[in-house]
Amino acid sequence: MASESNMVAVPSQNIPSGPPLTGGSPDKAEAIKDFLRAFLRHKSALIGSIIVLMFLLMAVIAPLITPYEYTERSQELLAPPSADHWFGTDEMGRDLFTRVVYGSRISLWVGFVAISGSIIIGSLLGLIAGFYGGWRDSLISRFFDILLAFPGILLAIAIVAMLGPGLNNALIAIAIINIPTFGRLMRSRVLSVKEEDYILAARAMGMKNSRILWKHILPNSWTPIMVQGTLGFATAVIEAAALGFLGLGAQPPEPEWGTMLSDARQYIQLAPWTMIFPGLAIMLTVLGFNLLGDGLRDLFDPRMKR
């Protein structure tokens, strides 16, 4: 009898070791401190976060740091950078520094809303496909395959062509083409997590599928989604700029960076600054989110830690 009781005690002691079944850890605050210390020591993540915060701050305080309205015109057409116009002026005499600063609002807004939509829809579909399997998995996976069968930017162009040019329609297109990325990532993560011992123990305890799904599997599957979301933000900024460059995104006089590049391409030799500064803004924004995403991946993945 004593040996039987010992055999029963072993799995019961192992059940609370799963992260979702603990109900909260007293070491959580210390774990957050350790993460922050590691984050501050990670050069890529730190540099990326500084760049991202710089653009976020620039977007928030745009009216305070710009000397003109972004639609305001002057008599100085294609003027080079000067004390009055730090980035010069465009072909209509508008201050480029003002337009680049206000353009950060549009690019960051498009990236945030589009990627948030992709994460919500894609993760929900991936969660259902990975957890329930069967015909649901087949149907959702085929939907992902159809979207992935087209190059992303071409599919975005097709969607905007059907809906009509405009910033909101470009935002919808960017959200749609990024759904499979997050959906397949979530599906693969759920397939792995649902076979863990603590999930099997929860099933043995009679826990409902809905509770297992939302309380245990989802919290343990969000980390790669967050990392991919950071990297996807950079992709969304590029896609928004590409659609704007083709005339399918934000429409004039909105100061969207891709649209500014499109308007300035005919002046690349006469006034190269009209393309240099919007291009630098795109490059730095994408670089910041990529560095931040790579840093988070290293910090969250034990195999990547040095």
Side-chain angles (χ1 to χ4, degrees), residues 113-149:
V113 176
I115 294 303
S116 296
S118 298
I119 290 175
I120 293 172
I121 298 174
S123 297
L124 180 61
L125 293 176
L127 201 62
I128 294 172
F131 186 75
Y132 291 104
W135 65 269
R136 298 178 183 88
D137 186 17
S138 299
L139 182 63
I140 293 173
S141 296
R142 296 299 78 77
F143 171 67
F144 291 160
D145 291 340
I146 291 172
L147 292 180
L148 291 172

PDB file of all heavy atoms in Angstrom, residues 113-149:
ATOM      1  N   VAL A 113      -2.185  49.393 -36.190  1.00  0.00           N
ATOM      2  CA  VAL A 113      -3.539  48.890 -36.422  1.00  0.00           C
ATOM      3  C   VAL A 113      -3.513  47.642 -37.304  1.00  0.00           C
ATOM      4  O   VAL A 113      -4.199  46.645 -37.016  1.00  0.00           O
ATOM      5  CB  VAL A 113      -4.418  49.980 -37.064  1.00  0.00           C
ATOM      6  CG1 VAL A 113      -5.793  49.428 -37.406  1.00  0.00           C
ATOM      7  CG2 VAL A 113      -4.548  51.170 -36.120  1.00  0.00           C
ATOM      8  N   ALA A 114      -2.731  47.671 -38.371  1.00  0.00           N
ATOM      9  CA  ALA A 114      -2.687  46.531 -39.286  1.00  0.00           C
ATOM     10  C   ALA A 114      -2.139  45.288 -38.598  1.00  0.00           C
ATOM     11  O   ALA A 114      -2.711  44.199 -38.702  1.00  0.00           O
ATOM     12  CB  ALA A 114      -1.845  46.877 -40.511  1.00  0.00           C
ATOM     13  N   ILE A 115      -1.030  45.432 -37.888  1.00  0.00           N
ATOM     14  CA  ILE A 115      -0.434  44.269 -37.230  1.00  0.00           C
ATOM     15  C   ILE A 115      -1.295  43.798 -36.054  1.00  0.00           C
ATOM     16  O   ILE A 115      -1.395  42.589 -35.803  1.00  0.00           O
ATOM     17  CB  ILE A 115       0.996  44.591 -36.780  1.00  0.00           C
ATOM     18  CG1 ILE A 115       1.876  44.829 -37.999  1.00  0.00           C
ATOM     19  CG2 ILE A 115       1.565  43.453 -35.950  1.00  0.00           C
ATOM     20  CD1 ILE A 115       1.911  43.679 -38.983  1.00  0.00           C
ATOM     21  N   SER A 116      -1.927  44.719 -35.358  1.00  0.00           N
ATOM     22  CA  SER A 116      -2.838  44.301 -34.282  1.00  0.00           C
ATOM     23  C   SER A 116      -3.982  43.464 -34.843  1.00  0.00           C
ATOM     24  O   SER A 116      -4.348  42.427 -34.275  1.00  0.00           O
ATOM     25  CB  SER A 116      -3.391  45.526 -33.558  1.00  0.00           C
ATOM     26  OG  SER A 116      -2.362  46.237 -32.903  1.00  0.00           O
ATOM     27  N   GLY A 117      -4.547  43.901 -35.974  1.00  0.00           N
ATOM     28  CA  GLY A 117      -5.603  43.123 -36.609  1.00  0.00           C
ATOM     29  C   GLY A 117      -5.110  41.764 -37.065  1.00  0.00           C
ATOM     30  O   GLY A 117      -5.799  40.748 -36.901  1.00  0.00           O
ATOM     31  N   SER A 118      -3.910  41.729 -37.646  1.00  0.00           N
ATOM     32  CA  SER A 118      -3.347  40.455 -38.098  1.00  0.00           C
ATOM     33  C   SER A 118      -3.119  39.512 -36.922  1.00  0.00           C
ATOM     34  O   SER A 118      -3.378  38.305 -37.022  1.00  0.00           O
ATOM     35  CB  SER A 118      -2.025  40.703 -38.827  1.00  0.00           C
ATOM     36  OG  SER A 118      -2.205  41.495 -39.971  1.00  0.00           O
ATOM     37  N   ILE A 119      -2.608  40.054 -35.820  1.00  0.00           N
ATOM     38  CA  ILE A 119      -2.341  39.216 -34.646  1.00  0.00           C
ATOM     39  C   ILE A 119      -3.640  38.651 -34.075  1.00  0.00           C
ATOM     40  O   ILE A 119      -3.735  37.453 -33.770  1.00  0.00           O
ATOM     41  CB  ILE A 119      -1.590  40.025 -33.575  1.00  0.00           C
ATOM     42  CG1 ILE A 119      -0.157  40.311 -34.032  1.00  0.00           C
ATOM     43  CG2 ILE A 119      -1.585  39.286 -32.243  1.00  0.00           C
ATOM     44  CD1 ILE A 119       0.621  41.196 -33.095  1.00  0.00           C
ATOM     45  N   ILE A 120      -4.653  39.489 -33.938  1.00  0.00           N
ATOM     46  CA  ILE A 120      -5.914  39.039 -33.341  1.00  0.00           C
ATOM     47  C   ILE A 120      -6.572  37.967 -34.201  1.00  0.00           C
ATOM     48  O   ILE A 120      -6.920  36.876 -33.728  1.00  0.00           O
ATOM     49  CB  ILE A 120      -6.858  40.232 -33.133  1.00  0.00           C
ATOM     50  CG1 ILE A 120      -6.289  41.177 -32.073  1.00  0.00           C
ATOM     51  CG2 ILE A 120      -8.244  39.750 -32.716  1.00  0.00           C
ATOM     52  CD1 ILE A 120      -7.045  42.480 -31.939  1.00  0.00           C
ATOM     53  N   ILE A 121      -6.734  38.260 -35.495  1.00  0.00           N
ATOM     54  CA  ILE A 121      -7.421  37.303 -36.379  1.00  0.00           C
ATOM     55  C   ILE A 121      -6.570  36.063 -36.611  1.00  0.00           C
ATOM     56  O   ILE A 121      -7.052  34.924 -36.512  1.00  0.00           O
ATOM     57  CB  ILE A 121      -7.776  37.986 -37.707  1.00  0.00           C
ATOM     58  CG1 ILE A 121      -8.730  39.154 -37.470  1.00  0.00           C
ATOM     59  CG2 ILE A 121      -8.412  36.981 -38.665  1.00  0.00           C
ATOM     60  CD1 ILE A 121      -9.018  39.975 -38.711  1.00  0.00           C
ATOM     61  N   GLY A 122      -5.279  36.276 -36.944  1.00  0.00           N
ATOM     62  CA  GLY A 122      -4.414  35.137 -37.229  1.00  0.00           C
ATOM     63  C   GLY A 122      -4.231  34.236 -36.015  1.00  0.00           C
ATOM     64  O   GLY A 122      -4.283  33.008 -36.129  1.00  0.00           O
ATOM     65  N   SER A 123      -4.025  34.831 -34.834  1.00  0.00           N
ATOM     66  CA  SER A 123      -3.822  34.031 -33.630  1.00  0.00           C
ATOM     67  C   SER A 123      -5.081  33.257 -33.259  1.00  0.00           C
ATOM     68  O   SER A 123      -5.007  32.099 -32.827  1.00  0.00           O
ATOM     69  CB  SER A 123      -3.393  34.931 -32.468  1.00  0.00           C
ATOM     70  OG  SER A 123      -2.157  35.546 -32.734  1.00  0.00           O
ATOM     71  N   LEU A 124      -6.240  33.883 -33.425  1.00  0.00           N
ATOM     72  CA  LEU A 124      -7.492  33.197 -33.114  1.00  0.00           C
ATOM     73  C   LEU A 124      -7.692  31.997 -34.038  1.00  0.00           C
ATOM     74  O   LEU A 124      -8.037  30.893 -33.582  1.00  0.00           O
ATOM     75  CB  LEU A 124      -8.662  34.174 -33.240  1.00  0.00           C
ATOM     76  CG  LEU A 124     -10.057  33.604 -32.939  1.00  0.00           C
ATOM     77  CD1 LEU A 124     -10.114  33.094 -31.503  1.00  0.00           C
ATOM     78  CD2 LEU A 124     -11.126  34.657 -33.176  1.00  0.00           C
ATOM     79  N   LEU A 125      -7.453  32.189 -35.329  1.00  0.00           N
ATOM     80  CA  LEU A 125      -7.597  31.083 -36.277  1.00  0.00           C
ATOM     81  C   LEU A 125      -6.565  29.992 -36.003  1.00  0.00           C
ATOM     82  O   LEU A 125      -6.880  28.797 -36.047  1.00  0.00           O
ATOM     83  CB  LEU A 125      -7.451  31.601 -37.711  1.00  0.00           C
ATOM     84  CG  LEU A 125      -8.560  32.533 -38.211  1.00  0.00           C
ATOM     85  CD1 LEU A 125      -8.226  33.054 -39.606  1.00  0.00           C
ATOM     86  CD2 LEU A 125      -9.898  31.810 -38.227  1.00  0.00           C
ATOM     87  N   GLY A 126      -5.328  30.392 -35.726  1.00  0.00           N
ATOM     88  CA  GLY A 126      -4.297  29.406 -35.426  1.00  0.00           C
ATOM     89  C   GLY A 126      -4.585  28.642 -34.149  1.00  0.00           C
ATOM     90  O   GLY A 126      -4.301  27.434 -34.044  1.00  0.00           O
ATOM     91  N   LEU A 127      -5.148  29.326 -33.165  1.00  0.00           N
ATOM     92  CA  LEU A 127      -5.502  28.692 -31.896  1.00  0.00           C
ATOM     93  C   LEU A 127      -6.560  27.614 -32.112  1.00  0.00           C
ATOM     94  O   LEU A 127      -6.448  26.494 -31.594  1.00  0.00           O
ATOM     95  CB  LEU A 127      -6.015  29.761 -30.934  1.00  0.00           C
ATOM     96  CG  LEU A 127      -5.990  29.495 -29.435  1.00  0.00           C
ATOM     97  CD1 LEU A 127      -4.559  29.302 -28.955  1.00  0.00           C
ATOM     98  CD2 LEU A 127      -6.641  30.653 -28.688  1.00  0.00           C
ATOM     99  N   ILE A 128      -7.578  27.946 -32.896  1.00  0.00           N
ATOM    100  CA  ILE A 128      -8.654  26.988 -33.169  1.00  0.00           C
ATOM    101  C   ILE A 128      -8.127  25.802 -33.977  1.00  0.00           C
ATOM    102  O   ILE A 128      -8.417  24.641 -33.674  1.00  0.00           O
ATOM    103  CB  ILE A 128      -9.798  27.683 -33.918  1.00  0.00           C
ATOM    104  CG1 ILE A 128     -10.460  28.736 -33.013  1.00  0.00           C
ATOM    105  CG2 ILE A 128     -10.841  26.667 -34.387  1.00  0.00           C
ATOM    106  CD1 ILE A 128     -11.473  29.607 -33.727  1.00  0.00           C
ATOM    107  N   ALA A 129      -7.326  26.110 -35.008  1.00  0.00           N
ATOM    108  CA  ALA A 129      -6.805  25.046 -35.866  1.00  0.00           C
ATOM    109  C   ALA A 129      -5.899  24.102 -35.096  1.00  0.00           C
ATOM    110  O   ALA A 129      -5.985  22.876 -35.228  1.00  0.00           O
ATOM    111  CB  ALA A 129      -6.045  25.658 -37.039  1.00  0.00           C
ATOM    112  N   GLY A 130      -4.994  24.635 -34.274  1.00  0.00           N
ATOM    113  CA  GLY A 130      -4.060  23.791 -33.559  1.00  0.00           C
ATOM    114  C   GLY A 130      -4.685  23.010 -32.427  1.00  0.00           C
ATOM    115  O   GLY A 130      -4.291  21.866 -32.154  1.00  0.00           O
ATOM    116  N   PHE A 131      -5.671  23.584 -31.761  1.00  0.00           N
ATOM    117  CA  PHE A 131      -6.244  22.935 -30.580  1.00  0.00           C
ATOM    118  C   PHE A 131      -7.294  21.889 -30.944  1.00  0.00           C
ATOM    119  O   PHE A 131      -7.287  20.783 -30.407  1.00  0.00           O
ATOM    120  CB  PHE A 131      -6.859  23.978 -29.655  1.00  0.00           C
ATOM    121  CG  PHE A 131      -7.349  23.415 -28.349  1.00  0.00           C
ATOM    122  CD1 PHE A 131      -6.451  23.067 -27.355  1.00  0.00           C
ATOM    123  CD2 PHE A 131      -8.703  23.228 -28.118  1.00  0.00           C
ATOM    124  CE1 PHE A 131      -6.896  22.545 -26.146  1.00  0.00           C
ATOM    125  CE2 PHE A 131      -9.152  22.707 -26.916  1.00  0.00           C
ATOM    126  CZ  PHE A 131      -8.248  22.362 -25.929  1.00  0.00           C
ATOM    127  N   TYR A 132      -8.182  22.237 -31.857  1.00  0.00           N
ATOM    128  CA  TYR A 132      -9.281  21.336 -32.187  1.00  0.00           C
ATOM    129  C   TYR A 132      -8.938  20.366 -33.319  1.00  0.00           C
ATOM    130  O   TYR A 132      -9.461  19.253 -33.365  1.00  0.00           O
ATOM    131  CB  TYR A 132     -10.527  22.143 -32.553  1.00  0.00           C
ATOM    132  CG  TYR A 132     -11.125  22.868 -31.380  1.00  0.00           C
ATOM    133  CD1 TYR A 132     -10.951  24.232 -31.220  1.00  0.00           C
ATOM    134  CD2 TYR A 132     -11.853  22.183 -30.403  1.00  0.00           C
ATOM    135  CE1 TYR A 132     -11.492  24.904 -30.126  1.00  0.00           C
ATOM    136  CE2 TYR A 132     -12.400  22.856 -29.315  1.00  0.00           C
ATOM    137  CZ  TYR A 132     -12.219  24.220 -29.184  1.00  0.00           C
ATOM    138  OH  TYR A 132     -12.752  24.878 -28.105  1.00  0.00           O
ATOM    139  N   GLY A 133      -8.071  20.788 -34.248  1.00  0.00           N
ATOM    140  CA  GLY A 133      -7.678  19.905 -35.336  1.00  0.00           C
ATOM    141  C   GLY A 133      -8.857  19.541 -36.239  1.00  0.00           C
ATOM    142  O   GLY A 133      -9.844  20.280 -36.338  1.00  0.00           O
ATOM    143  N   GLY A 134      -8.758  18.383 -36.901  1.00  0.00           N
ATOM    144  CA  GLY A 134      -9.859  17.892 -37.733  1.00  0.00           C
ATOM    145  C   GLY A 134     -10.174  18.808 -38.897  1.00  0.00           C
ATOM    146  O   GLY A 134      -9.300  19.416 -39.509  1.00  0.00           O
ATOM    147  N   TRP A 135     -11.472  18.911 -39.201  1.00  0.00           N
ATOM    148  CA  TRP A 135     -11.895  19.710 -40.358  1.00  0.00           C
ATOM    149  C   TRP A 135     -11.629  21.192 -40.148  1.00  0.00           C
ATOM    150  O   TRP A 135     -11.396  21.925 -41.106  1.00  0.00           O
ATOM    151  CB  TRP A 135     -13.378  19.471 -40.637  1.00  0.00           C
ATOM    152  CG  TRP A 135     -14.312  19.950 -39.558  1.00  0.00           C
ATOM    153  CD1 TRP A 135     -14.771  19.242 -38.501  1.00  0.00           C
ATOM    154  CD2 TRP A 135     -14.886  21.261 -39.452  1.00  0.00           C
ATOM    155  NE1 TRP A 135     -15.595  20.018 -37.719  1.00  0.00           N
ATOM    156  CE2 TRP A 135     -15.698  21.261 -38.292  1.00  0.00           C
ATOM    157  CE3 TRP A 135     -14.807  22.422 -40.218  1.00  0.00           C
ATOM    158  CZ2 TRP A 135     -16.410  22.382 -37.879  1.00  0.00           C
ATOM    159  CZ3 TRP A 135     -15.524  23.535 -39.808  1.00  0.00           C
ATOM    160  CH2 TRP A 135     -16.307  23.519 -38.656  1.00  0.00           C
ATOM    161  N   ARG A 136     -11.651  21.634 -38.891  1.00  0.00           N
ATOM    162  CA  ARG A 136     -11.344  23.045 -38.629  1.00  0.00           C
ATOM    163  C   ARG A 136      -9.898  23.362 -39.020  1.00  0.00           C
ATOM    164  O   ARG A 136      -9.620  24.388 -39.658  1.00  0.00           O
ATOM    165  CB  ARG A 136     -11.562  23.364 -37.151  1.00  0.00           C
ATOM    166  CG  ARG A 136     -12.990  23.175 -36.647  1.00  0.00           C
ATOM    167  CD  ARG A 136     -13.060  23.486 -35.159  1.00  0.00           C
ATOM    168  NE  ARG A 136     -14.376  23.274 -34.588  1.00  0.00           N
ATOM    169  CZ  ARG A 136     -14.805  22.106 -34.104  1.00  0.00           C
ATOM    170  NH1 ARG A 136     -14.001  21.051 -34.142  1.00  0.00           N
ATOM    171  NH2 ARG A 136     -16.012  21.982 -33.593  1.00  0.00           N
ATOM    172  N   ASP A 137      -8.996  22.471 -38.644  1.00  0.00           N
ATOM    173  CA  ASP A 137      -7.589  22.654 -38.982  1.00  0.00           C
ATOM    174  C   ASP A 137      -7.392  22.647 -40.494  1.00  0.00           C
ATOM    175  O   ASP A 137      -6.665  23.491 -41.046  1.00  0.00           O
ATOM    176  CB  ASP A 137      -6.761  21.552 -38.321  1.00  0.00           C
ATOM    177  CG  ASP A 137      -5.267  21.756 -38.511  1.00  0.00           C
ATOM    178  OD1 ASP A 137      -4.860  22.878 -38.859  1.00  0.00           O
ATOM    179  OD2 ASP A 137      -4.505  20.793 -38.300  1.00  0.00           O
ATOM    180  N   SER A 138      -8.040  21.718 -41.167  1.00  0.00           N
ATOM    181  CA  SER A 138      -7.899  21.623 -42.626  1.00  0.00           C
ATOM    182  C   SER A 138      -8.422  22.875 -43.311  1.00  0.00           C
ATOM    183  O   SER A 138      -7.777  23.429 -44.211  1.00  0.00           O
ATOM    184  CB  SER A 138      -8.640  20.387 -43.144  1.00  0.00           C
ATOM    185  OG  SER A 138      -8.101  19.205 -42.594  1.00  0.00           O
ATOM    186  N   LEU A 139      -9.592  23.344 -42.897  1.00  0.00           N
ATOM    187  CA  LEU A 139     -10.194  24.518 -43.525  1.00  0.00           C
ATOM    188  C   LEU A 139      -9.349  25.763 -43.300  1.00  0.00           C
ATOM    189  O   LEU A 139      -9.069  26.521 -44.242  1.00  0.00           O
ATOM    190  CB  LEU A 139     -11.605  24.721 -42.964  1.00  0.00           C
ATOM    191  CG  LEU A 139     -12.405  25.893 -43.539  1.00  0.00           C
ATOM    192  CD1 LEU A 139     -12.638  25.683 -45.029  1.00  0.00           C
ATOM    193  CD2 LEU A 139     -13.727  26.059 -42.802  1.00  0.00           C
ATOM    194  N   ILE A 140      -8.922  25.988 -42.058  1.00  0.00           N
ATOM    195  CA  ILE A 140      -8.127  27.180 -41.744  1.00  0.00           C
ATOM    196  C   ILE A 140      -6.757  27.111 -42.408  1.00  0.00           C
ATOM    197  O   ILE A 140      -6.264  28.118 -42.937  1.00  0.00           O
ATOM    198  CB  ILE A 140      -8.005  27.335 -40.218  1.00  0.00           C
ATOM    199  CG1 ILE A 140      -9.370  27.653 -39.606  1.00  0.00           C
ATOM    200  CG2 ILE A 140      -7.010  28.451 -39.875  1.00  0.00           C
ATOM    201  CD1 ILE A 140      -9.393  27.655 -38.097  1.00  0.00           C
ATOM    202  N   SER A 141      -6.141  25.943 -42.407  1.00  0.00           N
ATOM    203  CA  SER A 141      -4.826  25.803 -43.034  1.00  0.00           C
ATOM    204  C   SER A 141      -4.895  26.044 -44.531  1.00  0.00           C
ATOM    205  O   SER A 141      -3.977  26.647 -45.110  1.00  0.00           O
ATOM    206  CB  SER A 141      -4.256  24.406 -42.751  1.00  0.00           C
ATOM    207  OG  SER A 141      -4.028  24.229 -41.366  1.00  0.00           O
ATOM    208  N   ARG A 142      -5.963  25.594 -45.176  1.00  0.00           N
ATOM    209  CA  ARG A 142      -6.097  25.851 -46.625  1.00  0.00           C
ATOM    210  C   ARG A 142      -6.300  27.346 -46.888  1.00  0.00           C
ATOM    211  O   ARG A 142      -5.837  27.865 -47.900  1.00  0.00           O
ATOM    212  CB  ARG A 142      -7.277  25.056 -47.187  1.00  0.00           C
ATOM    213  CG  ARG A 142      -7.162  23.557 -47.117  1.00  0.00           C
ATOM    214  CD  ARG A 142      -5.985  22.981 -47.889  1.00  0.00           C
ATOM    215  NE  ARG A 142      -4.716  23.119 -47.198  1.00  0.00           N
ATOM    216  CZ  ARG A 142      -4.345  22.346 -46.174  1.00  0.00           C
ATOM    217  NH1 ARG A 142      -5.152  21.421 -45.685  1.00  0.00           N
ATOM    218  NH2 ARG A 142      -3.162  22.526 -45.600  1.00  0.00           N
ATOM    219  N   PHE A 143      -6.995  28.025 -45.973  1.00  0.00           N
ATOM    220  CA  PHE A 143      -7.158  29.472 -46.105  1.00  0.00           C
ATOM    221  C   PHE A 143      -5.809  30.171 -46.023  1.00  0.00           C
ATOM    222  O   PHE A 143      -5.507  31.065 -46.817  1.00  0.00           O
ATOM    223  CB  PHE A 143      -8.097  29.975 -45.006  1.00  0.00           C
ATOM    224  CG  PHE A 143      -8.173  31.476 -44.898  1.00  0.00           C
ATOM    225  CD1 PHE A 143      -8.729  32.238 -45.916  1.00  0.00           C
ATOM    226  CD2 PHE A 143      -7.671  32.131 -43.777  1.00  0.00           C
ATOM    227  CE1 PHE A 143      -8.788  33.621 -45.822  1.00  0.00           C
ATOM    228  CE2 PHE A 143      -7.731  33.507 -43.673  1.00  0.00           C
ATOM    229  CZ  PHE A 143      -8.292  34.256 -44.699  1.00  0.00           C
ATOM    230  N   PHE A 144      -4.981  29.742 -45.079  1.00  0.00           N
ATOM    231  CA  PHE A 144      -3.632  30.300 -44.970  1.00  0.00           C
ATOM    232  C   PHE A 144      -2.822  30.019 -46.231  1.00  0.00           C
ATOM    233  O   PHE A 144      -2.094  30.887 -46.723  1.00  0.00           O
ATOM    234  CB  PHE A 144      -2.912  29.717 -43.754  1.00  0.00           C
ATOM    235  CG  PHE A 144      -3.469  30.157 -42.432  1.00  0.00           C
ATOM    236  CD1 PHE A 144      -3.227  29.423 -41.271  1.00  0.00           C
ATOM    237  CD2 PHE A 144      -4.232  31.309 -42.324  1.00  0.00           C
ATOM    238  CE1 PHE A 144      -3.718  29.838 -40.054  1.00  0.00           C
ATOM    239  CE2 PHE A 144      -4.737  31.727 -41.109  1.00  0.00           C
ATOM    240  CZ  PHE A 144      -4.489  30.981 -39.969  1.00  0.00           C
ATOM    241  N   ASP A 145      -2.945  28.798 -46.758  1.00  0.00           N
ATOM    242  CA  ASP A 145      -2.186  28.427 -47.949  1.00  0.00           C
ATOM    243  C   ASP A 145      -2.583  29.284 -49.149  1.00  0.00           C
ATOM    244  O   ASP A 145      -1.732  29.664 -49.964  1.00  0.00           O
ATOM    245  CB  ASP A 145      -2.405  26.949 -48.281  1.00  0.00           C
ATOM    246  CG  ASP A 145      -1.766  26.028 -47.257  1.00  0.00           C
ATOM    247  OD1 ASP A 145      -0.856  26.497 -46.536  1.00  0.00           O
ATOM    248  OD2 ASP A 145      -2.183  24.855 -47.162  1.00  0.00           O
ATOM    249  N   ILE A 146      -3.868  29.591 -49.259  1.00  0.00           N
ATOM    250  CA  ILE A 146      -4.335  30.425 -50.374  1.00  0.00           C
ATOM    251  C   ILE A 146      -3.724  31.821 -50.287  1.00  0.00           C
ATOM    252  O   ILE A 146      -3.253  32.375 -51.284  1.00  0.00           O
ATOM    253  CB  ILE A 146      -5.877  30.492 -50.378  1.00  0.00           C
ATOM    254  CG1 ILE A 146      -6.471  29.136 -50.752  1.00  0.00           C
ATOM    255  CG2 ILE A 146      -6.364  31.562 -51.356  1.00  0.00           C
ATOM    256  CD1 ILE A 146      -7.975  29.067 -50.601  1.00  0.00           C
ATOM    257  N   LEU A 147      -3.732  32.400 -49.095  1.00  0.00           N
ATOM    258  CA  LEU A 147      -3.154  33.734 -48.928  1.00  0.00           C
ATOM    259  C   LEU A 147      -1.653  33.730 -49.181  1.00  0.00           C
ATOM    260  O   LEU A 147      -1.105  34.673 -49.768  1.00  0.00           O
ATOM    261  CB  LEU A 147      -3.443  34.261 -47.521  1.00  0.00           C
ATOM    262  CG  LEU A 147      -4.900  34.598 -47.190  1.00  0.00           C
ATOM    263  CD1 LEU A 147      -5.020  35.098 -45.758  1.00  0.00           C
ATOM    264  CD2 LEU A 147      -5.461  35.631 -48.152  1.00  0.00           C
ATOM    265  N   LEU A 148      -0.985  32.655 -48.764  1.00  0.00           N
ATOM    266  CA  LEU A 148       0.463  32.577 -48.937  1.00  0.00           C
ATOM    267  C   LEU A 148       0.863  32.218 -50.364  1.00  0.00           C
ATOM    268  O   LEU A 148       2.045  32.301 -50.711  1.00  0.00           O
ATOM    269  CB  LEU A 148       1.049  31.544 -47.969  1.00  0.00           C
ATOM    270  CG  LEU A 148       1.015  31.931 -46.492  1.00  0.00           C
ATOM    271  CD1 LEU A 148       1.432  30.754 -45.621  1.00  0.00           C
ATOM    272  CD2 LEU A 148       1.926  33.129 -46.227  1.00  0.00           C
ATOM    273  N   ALA A 149      -0.104  31.811 -51.174  1.00  0.00           N
ATOM    274  CA  ALA A 149       0.211  31.462 -52.564  1.00  0.00           C
ATOM    275  C   ALA A 149       0.542  32.691 -53.406  1.00  0.00           C
ATOM    276  O   ALA A 149       1.143  32.564 -54.471  1.00  0.00           O
ATOM    277  CB  ALA A 149      -0.964  30.711 -53.193  1.00  0.00           C
TER     278      ALA A 149
END
